[in-house]
mmCIF file of all heavy atoms in Angstrom:
data_model
loop_
_atom_site.group_PDB
_atom_site.id
_atom_site.type_symbol
_atom_site.label_atom_id
_atom_site.label_comp_id
_atom_site.label_asym_id
_atom_site.label_seq_id
_atom_site.Cartn_x
_atom_site.Cartn_y
_atom_site.Cartn_z
ATOM 1 N N HIS N 435 117.981 115.041 102.437
ATOM 2 C CA HIS N 435 117.911 113.703 101.850
ATOM 3 C C HIS N 435 116.520 113.354 101.325
ATOM 4 O O HIS N 435 116.322 112.248 100.814
ATOM 5 C CB HIS N 435 118.317 112.645 102.889
ATOM 6 C CG HIS N 435 119.646 112.885 103.518
ATOM 7 N ND1 HIS N 435 120.741 113.317 102.811
ATOM 8 C CD2 HIS N 435 120.052 112.759 104.818
ATOM 9 C CE1 HIS N 435 121.772 113.450 103.640
ATOM 10 N NE2 HIS N 435 121.379 113.120 104.852
ATOM 11 N N VAL N 436 115.557 114.266 101.444
ATOM 12 C CA VAL N 436 114.176 113.944 101.087
ATOM 13 C C VAL N 436 114.042 113.587 99.606
ATOM 14 O O VAL N 436 113.346 112.632 99.241
ATOM 15 C CB VAL N 436 113.237 115.109 101.450
ATOM 16 C CG1 VAL N 436 111.852 114.909 100.838
ATOM 17 C CG2 VAL N 436 113.105 115.234 102.960
ATOM 18 N N ALA N 437 114.684 114.347 98.727
ATOM 19 C CA ALA N 437 114.551 114.096 97.283
ATOM 20 C C ALA N 437 115.042 112.708 96.911
ATOM 21 O O ALA N 437 114.400 111.992 96.131
ATOM 22 C CB ALA N 437 115.305 115.167 96.499
ATOM 23 N N VAL N 438 116.177 112.314 97.482
ATOM 24 C CA VAL N 438 116.710 110.978 97.199
ATOM 25 C C VAL N 438 115.796 109.906 97.789
ATOM 26 O O VAL N 438 115.518 108.885 97.147
ATOM 27 C CB VAL N 438 118.130 110.835 97.785
ATOM 28 C CG1 VAL N 438 118.655 109.413 97.597
ATOM 29 C CG2 VAL N 438 119.076 111.832 97.122
ATOM 30 N N ALA N 439 115.300 110.153 98.994
ATOM 31 C CA ALA N 439 114.415 109.185 99.640
ATOM 32 C C ALA N 439 113.118 109.024 98.866
ATOM 33 O O ALA N 439 112.571 107.917 98.771
ATOM 34 C CB ALA N 439 114.118 109.628 101.072
ATOM 35 N N ALA N 440 112.620 110.110 98.287
ATOM 36 C CA ALA N 440 111.374 110.044 97.519
ATOM 37 C C ALA N 440 111.510 109.096 96.336
ATOM 38 O O ALA N 440 110.526 108.466 95.922
ATOM 39 C CB ALA N 440 110.973 111.432 97.047
ATOM 40 N N GLY N 441 112.705 108.995 95.771
ATOM 41 C CA GLY N 441 112.928 108.081 94.649
ATOM 42 C C GLY N 441 112.646 106.639 95.007
ATOM 43 O O GLY N 441 112.188 105.857 94.160
ATOM 44 N N THR N 442 112.916 106.268 96.253
ATOM 45 C CA THR N 442 112.643 104.888 96.681
ATOM 46 C C THR N 442 111.143 104.618 96.701
ATOM 47 O O THR N 442 110.689 103.553 96.283
ATOM 48 C CB THR N 442 113.238 104.642 98.080
ATOM 49 O OG1 THR N 442 114.645 104.879 98.037
ATOM 50 C CG2 THR N 442 112.986 103.215 98.531
ATOM 51 N N PHE N 443 110.366 105.591 97.179
ATOM 52 C CA PHE N 443 108.913 105.423 97.171
ATOM 53 C C PHE N 443 108.389 105.331 95.741
ATOM 54 O O PHE N 443 107.538 104.488 95.429
ATOM 55 C CB PHE N 443 108.243 106.588 97.894
ATOM 56 C CG PHE N 443 106.747 106.597 97.771
ATOM 57 C CD1 PHE N 443 105.987 105.599 98.366
ATOM 58 C CD2 PHE N 443 106.092 107.592 97.056
ATOM 59 C CE1 PHE N 443 104.602 105.593 98.254
ATOM 60 C CE2 PHE N 443 104.718 107.595 96.938
ATOM 61 C CZ PHE N 443 103.967 106.601 97.532
ATOM 62 N N VAL N 444 108.898 106.191 94.856
ATOM 63 C CA VAL N 444 108.466 106.160 93.459
ATOM 64 C C VAL N 444 108.807 104.822 92.815
ATOM 65 O O VAL N 444 108.027 104.263 92.034
ATOM 66 C CB VAL N 444 109.100 107.323 92.670
ATOM 67 C CG1 VAL N 444 108.790 107.206 91.186
ATOM 68 C CG2 VAL N 444 108.587 108.657 93.198
ATOM 69 N N SER N 445 109.968 104.268 93.154
ATOM 70 C CA SER N 445 110.334 102.955 92.599
ATOM 71 C C SER N 445 109.375 101.880 93.080
ATOM 72 O O SER N 445 109.036 100.950 92.341
ATOM 73 C CB SER N 445 111.773 102.594 92.983
ATOM 74 O OG SER N 445 111.898 102.382 94.381
ATOM 75 N N GLY N 446 108.905 102.012 94.325
ATOM 76 C CA GLY N 446 107.925 101.059 94.830
ATOM 77 C C GLY N 446 106.598 101.173 94.110
ATOM 78 O O GLY N 446 105.958 100.164 93.797
ATOM 79 N N THR N 447 106.182 102.401 93.807
ATOM 80 C CA THR N 447 104.929 102.572 93.069
ATOM 81 C C THR N 447 105.050 102.021 91.647
ATOM 82 O O THR N 447 104.115 101.417 91.122
ATOM 83 C CB THR N 447 104.534 104.057 93.007
ATOM 84 O OG1 THR N 447 105.513 104.793 92.261
ATOM 85 C CG2 THR N 447 104.409 104.642 94.393
#
Side-chain angles (χ1 to χ4, degrees):
H435 306 319
V436 169
V438 175
T442 301
F443 172 67
V444 173
S445 67
T447 64

